Every structure is written in structure tokens, then in C-alpha cells.
Amino acid sequence: QVQLVESGGGLVQPGGSLRLSCASSGSTFYYMNWVRQSPGKGLEWVSGIGSDGSGTDYADSVKGRFTVSRDNAKNTVFLHLNSLKSEDTALYYCAAATTFDYWGQGTQVTVSS
């Protein structure tokens, strides 16, 4: 069993930055995903990172602005959000494995002036 806890969300102005964290208990050797859900919209996959951090992937909507990383010694995955836009406002989840077997409770990011 894997438990995931996200943190780091908040209110930020357009153009600002945030760093989201996803702390994991249990096995850390999973591909990890970040997924978001905007108000009134479905889930959108945002980014993923391989179990050893060697491979990263991004949705076109965030490529060049967001960076995913992980620290396996601390069982934590990060998502660095830069150049934030109002359309990035969403509840951000981390999810473990390529089959999205385990999910955290989410952390809210609100981009507004």
C-alpha cells in the first residue's frame, strides 16, 4: 500500500511560481504522475517522472514552465510551477504508477491577481 500526501499549493499571482511536493510512504519505486482538475473540467495529466528520475514527460500545456523532479532518499516528488497562468488554477494530485494505482488528496493552486 502506498500513501501519498501533496502540499505546497496556494494563491499566487499570474507569472508567479510555486513548488508542489508529494510525500510517499511505502514503496518509492514507481513512475510518478502529476494530474490536475480545473473547476468544471475533467482530469488532465500534467507531468510524469521515472522511478529513478531519469525520464520526465510533460503535457504540452505546461512544457517549458513546469519541472518535475524527485528525491527518492526523502520519498518525495516535486512539481515546480513557473510562469503561472490563470488557466493553471486547479486541484493538483500526484498519482503513483503508470496505471495510476494510488492517489493523494490533492493540493489547490489558484492563480489570480
Side-chain angles (χ1 to χ4, degrees):
Q1 187 72 15
V2 174
Q3 291 185 324
L4 304 173
V5 179
E6 301 95 335
S7 61
L11 173 64
V12 62
Q13 293 185 343
S17 299
L18 283 173
R19 188 185 76 165
L20 307 183
S21 300
C22 172
S24 171
S25 64
S27 175
T28 60
F29 298 105
Y30 286 100
Y31 184 93
M32 293 296 295
N33 302 276
W34 285 96
V35 180
R36 68 186 181 185
Q37 186 166 26
S38 302
K41 297 184 180 179
L43 293 169
E44 177 189 13
W45 176 85
V46 173
S47 181
I49 185 167
S51 58
D52 62 356
S54 61
T56 58
D57 301 288
Y58 299 94
D60 288 344
S61 58
V62 306
K63 197 171 293 183
R65 299 188 299 119
F66 291 7
T67 303
V68 62
S69 63
R70 67 192 297 161
D71 184 343
N72 283 350
K74 297 182 179 180
N75 296 344
T76 303
V77 178
F78 302 99
L79 186 66
H80 303 259
L81 290 64
N82 298 310
S83 302
L84 281 161
K85 306 174 182 179
S86 58
E87 51 263 44
D88 295 317
T89 294
L91 187 61
Y92 284 72
Y93 299 94
C94 60
T98 55
T99 46
F100 302 87
D101 292 340
Y102 305 101
W103 292 72
Q105 83 290 347
T107 186
Q108 179 67 39
V109 172
T110 302
V111 184
S112 175
S113 56

